[in-house]
Amino acid sequence: MLTMLKKMLAKMVVIATALVSMHAFAADTPYDLTVEVSDKLFKNITSNQAKIKQDPNYLKTIVRAELMPYVHVKYAGSKVLGKNFKTTTPEQREKFFTAFEQYIEQTYAQVLTLYSDQKLEIKKPKTDATEKTASIRVKVIQTGNQPPVNLTFYWYKNSKTGKWQVFDMSAEGVSMVETKEKEWSPTIVKSGLDALTEQVEKAAKTPVSLNK
């Protein structure tokens, strides 16, 4: 069950990386952004396969340049901290957010090695365009006889910038933010946020490998 969950989350992140760079496009709605950005990102990955095979860490360069400027690291990180947020200091959180940003960069780069020309079916949301939140459902069509993976991306409209941002995603109903919160919370409770930050920093330094 755990292995299956990890595989679902991995496939989920492959698509998620296409969503966070939404500001680079003129599309106005989460649906339009999802369609345009996913199409562009995966075309870029396909066209750079030779370079990626020669140096898998090149995926980090792609993620850092195209995706990380549009990831709301502090918002996502705060949700991951959950109930532990109030037990930490601003200084501890800033250090954690920095490590978390590096972790996201490494994780997205690693998961992008799983991309193998999967097809997407993106469904238009039923929510009113004037609302501040929206969810976009995406079906990932696998090759061979593998069943499709059902994803949901949760967006909110930043009241200060007016831009839409992804704040969470789920695969088959499993939230990525909630998963990391449950995984990391025991470390914070037992050893403190500084210990978790050190753990996350170490994980972020893992080289990207095509063998994983």
Side-chain angles (χ1 to χ4, degrees), residues 86-101:
K86 294 182 179 180
T87 67
T88 62
T89 67
E91 292 75 16
Q92 286 179 311
R93 292 195 293 270
E94 284 301 319
K95 188 175 180 180
F96 169 73
F97 292 149
T98 298
F100 187 50
E101 181 174 9

Side-chain angles (χ1 to χ4, degrees), residues 42-212:
F42 290 127
K43 283 183 178 178
N44 286 343
I45 294 173
T46 299
S47 64
N48 283 292
Q49 280 301 302
K51 186 175 293 186
I52 292 170
K53 289 180 180 179
Q54 182 178 7
D55 179 17
N57 281 305
Y58 182 70
L59 281 168
K60 276 190 174 184
T61 301
I62 295 176
V63 171
R64 187 180 306 118
E66 297 188 11
L67 304 180
M68 294 311 297
Y70 311 105
V71 176
H72 203 320
V73 176
K74 290 186 177 181
Y75 187 75
S78 296
K79 292 182 72 67
V80 168
L81 291 178
K83 63 183 181 181
N84 296 302
F85 183 93
K86 294 182 179 180
T87 67
T88 62
T89 67
E91 292 75 16
Q92 286 179 311
R93 292 195 293 270
E94 284 301 319
K95 188 175 180 180
F96 169 73
F97 292 149
T98 298
F100 187 50
E101 181 174 9
Q102 296 169 350
Y103 175 83
I104 293 174
E105 179 183 301
Q106 193 283 334
T107 300
Y108 279 9
Q110 181 60 58
V111 176
L112 279 171
T113 64
L114 300 176
Y115 176 67
S116 58
D117 198 28
Q118 291 95 335
K119 304 301 180 183
L120 308 181
E121 290 183 3
I122 304 173
K123 298 182 179 181
K124 289 187 176 181
K126 297 180 180 180
T127 54
D128 191 304
T130 61
E131 294 185 8
K132 293 184 178 181
T133 61
S135 58
I136 304 296
R137 297 170 62 188
V138 178
K139 179 178 289 187
V140 184
I141 308 301
Q142 303 285 67
T143 57
N145 296 320
Q146 299 182 70
V149 178
N150 295 299
L151 312 176
T152 302
F153 296 94
Y154 300 94
W155 301 69
Y156 83 100
K157 195 170 188 178
N158 190 311
S159 59
K160 294 182 179 180
T161 65
K163 296 178 180 179
W164 285 96
Q165 296 173 296
V166 173
F167 66 89
D168 193 14
M169 60 210 76
S170 65
E172 303 295 349
V174 180
S175 164
M176 188 176 184
V177 166
E178 291 179 2
T179 298
K180 300 312 295 184
E181 179 186 1
K182 291 178 181 178
E183 178 184 342
W184 289 347
S185 181
T187 299
I188 300 175
V189 173
K190 180 180 179 180
S191 306
L193 182 57
D194 290 340
L196 175 62
T197 298
E198 184 177 343
Q199 174 184 319
V200 174
E201 287 175 338
K202 183 178 180 180
K205 295 178 181 178
T206 305
V208 178
S209 172
L210 298 180
N211 297 322
K212 293 185 178 181

